[in-house]
Amino acid sequence: MKKALITGITGQDGSYLADLLLEKGYEVHGIIRRASTFNTSRIDHLYADPHINGVRMFLHYGDLSDSVNLVKLIYDLKPDEIYHLAAQSHVRVSFDIPEYTADVTGVGTIRILEAIREAGIRSRFYQASSSEMFGKVQEVPQVETTPFWPRSPYGVAKVFSYWATVNYRESYGLCASNGILFNHESPRRGETFVTRKISRAVAAIKHDLQHELFLGNLDAKRDWGYAPEYVEGMWRILQHDEGDDFVLATNETHTIREFLDIAFGRVDLDWKEFVKHDERYERPAEVELLIGNAAKAKRVLDWEPKVRFKELVEIMVDADMALFAKPMAQKHLGQMP
């Protein structure tokens, strides 16, 4: 039985990855941060039948700022594969807390790589790199060799993590890989991210629980894919015998306006009647265009996305419509200011 360790297991990607690895027969370990409220909602379903999953999934308290804990945990577990997904991952928020973002999203990666080296194990390591590293794009579409020009503290921290992974691969012979993932969404996406913010607002407006939606730049273009497919790509990257770097993307780009068109149209509403601009959601430096070419992943890993943009948006809206049809969700939103 293979053993995997996931940082960020309670997030969108971590939860889908845990689903996938358990289906493949892995023993799964996840690192979670101590919090005063329950923060495991995305993985609670994995404990529903302990005879199937519970005995093979274990959670450990830890933090990317605590290198001693990371060394001890990795030495004790000796995982075959480590998926490093945890980060301060909100781009706009990274402008407000740049030092914290740099420490967790950037230096946190070094702490895990050092923990692997110090523990003297040969775990395969996956670093969750980001299309935000391309920032002010230098070529279209972006591929593995496209130069980076990050436009946010988050993007800068991810560039640091990317090169740290390459450096440890070249310096110490670690089987360490970067997955440069373009935007990938799902019904498990955090509610502060623009795609989920939109799909959630559509459902709330349709149920007469919300009347306005405030957004920033509607003209930014992104390459959006479906998160469950992208975590399969992560797994395929670590099945490759050597450490390497791969872009995972759809090779399509769409604006937020297009996302609004499909999302509101799904429930027969016109988004222009509800969406208002709020400059607070504008970034100090915007990333205007992202579109990735995953030809290398197709050639080497036999990976390619199947869910396209329109279907992705409809999946998210349908999920939030079903959520807000439940009385408890309506009551919760009705109590919010």
Side-chain angles (χ1 to χ4, degrees):
M1 182 185 298
K2 280 188 176 181
K3 187 185 297 182
L5 175 63
I6 304 172
T7 71
I9 193 171
T10 59
Q12 170 189 254
D13 291 2
S15 65
Y16 281 123
L17 181 60
D19 287 338
L20 177 70
L21 295 180
L22 288 168
E23 288 174 5
K24 291 184 177 297
Y26 280 64
E27 178 180 302
V28 175
H29 295 258
I31 298 177
I32 61 172
R33 287 181 297 169
R34 170 71 176 87
S36 60
T37 57
F38 293 111
N39 58 0
T40 59
S41 60
R42 293 187 181 93
I43 56 175
D44 285 345
H45 66 282
L46 296 176
Y47 289 103
D49 188 344
H51 298 292
I52 298 175
N53 290 326
V55 295
R56 290 193 285 110
M57 190 174 80
F58 307 88
L59 301 180
H60 309 267
Y61 285 117
D63 195 285
L64 292 178
S65 64
D66 186 352
S67 57
V68 174
N69 172 263
L70 292 173
V71 171
K72 183 178 185 302
L73 186 60
I74 289 174
Y75 179 80
D76 288 344
L77 292 178
K78 295 179 177 59
D80 299 286
E81 299 169 4
I82 297 175
Y83 296 86
H84 179 37
L85 313 183
Q88 190 304 98
S89 59
H90 198 288
V91 178
R92 177 60 189 85
V93 171
S94 75
F95 285 99
D96 300 322
I97 49 172
E99 183 179 345
Y100 175 79
T101 300
D103 183 52
V104 173
T105 306
V107 181
T109 303
I110 281 282
R111 293 187 182 110
I112 293 192
L113 289 165
E114 268 295 284
I116 296 171
R117 189 178 72 85
E118 287 287 337
I121 61 176
R122 304 304 297 175
S123 302
R124 296 188 177 192
F125 175 78
Y126 172 87
Q127 162 59 21
S129 291
S130 168
S131 59
E132 288 286 332
M133 300 188 304
F134 295 121
K136 189 175 181 179
V137 299
Q138 301 302 292
E139 65 178 340
V140 177
Q142 294 88 56
V143 295
E144 289 80 5
T145 56
T146 301
F148 302 135
W149 193 324
R151 300 273 281 172
S152 67
Y154 169 79
V156 171
K158 282 294 188 180
V159 170
F160 179 94
S161 291
Y162 173 92
W163 285 116
T165 301
V166 172
N167 182 255
Y168 273 68
R169 181 170 74 216
E170 295 177 348
S171 300
Y172 303 113
L174 298 186
C175 185
S177 298
N178 283 290
I180 308 174
L181 272 58
F182 281 64
N183 294 62
H184 46 288
E185 318 297 323
S186 76
R188 297 186 193 175
R189 187 57 139 157
E191 294 174 0
T192 61
F193 289 85
V194 66
T195 51
R196 183 71 195 291
K197 187 177 179 181
I198 292 170
S199 66
R200 189 174 184 272
V202 167
I205 290 170
K206 188 65 175 179
H207 285 93
D208 200 29
L209 297 169
Q210 183 174 328
H211 306 289
E212 294 177 315
L213 170 62
F214 294 94
L215 298 174
N217 180 16
L218 303 186
D219 297 314
K221 296 179 178 179
R222 294 291 184 269
D223 184 325
W224 276 301
Y226 187 41
E229 295 181 342
Y230 282 54
V231 300
E232 183 191 354
M234 297 177 189
W235 175 77
R236 287 180 181 240
I237 287 171
L238 285 202
Q239 307 320 299
H240 192 49
D241 289 336
E242 298 178 351
D244 204 346
D245 310 312
F246 296 91
V247 162
L248 300 186
T250 70
N251 205 19
E252 293 181 13
T253 190
H254 299 275
T255 65
I256 294 172
R257 291 180 189 275
E258 291 177 80
F259 198 106
L260 289 166
D261 279 335
I262 297 172
F264 277 84
R266 182 68 169 171
V267 295
D268 300 317
L269 294 176
D270 182 353
W271 66 266
K272 298 180 184 68
E273 297 178 12
F274 305 98
V275 175
K276 305 292 175 59
H277 179 263
D278 190 331
E279 63 181 14
R280 291 178 299 174
Y281 298 118
E282 298 276 359
R283 301 181 188 178
E286 181 60 84
V287 174
E288 300 293 347
L289 168 65
L290 290 175
I291 177 171
N293 185 341
K296 179 179 176 181
K298 168 63 176 174
R299 184 179 72 254
V300 177
L301 307 175
D302 194 28
W303 179 91
E304 62 180 335
K306 297 179 177 61
V307 174
R308 311 314 289 193
F309 179 67
K310 184 175 184 293
E311 183 182 358
L312 167 66
V313 179
E314 292 176 345
I315 287 172
M316 294 182 69
V317 170
D318 291 350
D320 276 325
M321 284 293 291
L323 175 65
F324 280 100
K326 298 178 181 178
M328 284 302 295
Q330 294 183 17
K331 180 180 179 182
H332 172 71
L333 193 63
Q335 293 173 343
M336 294 177 65

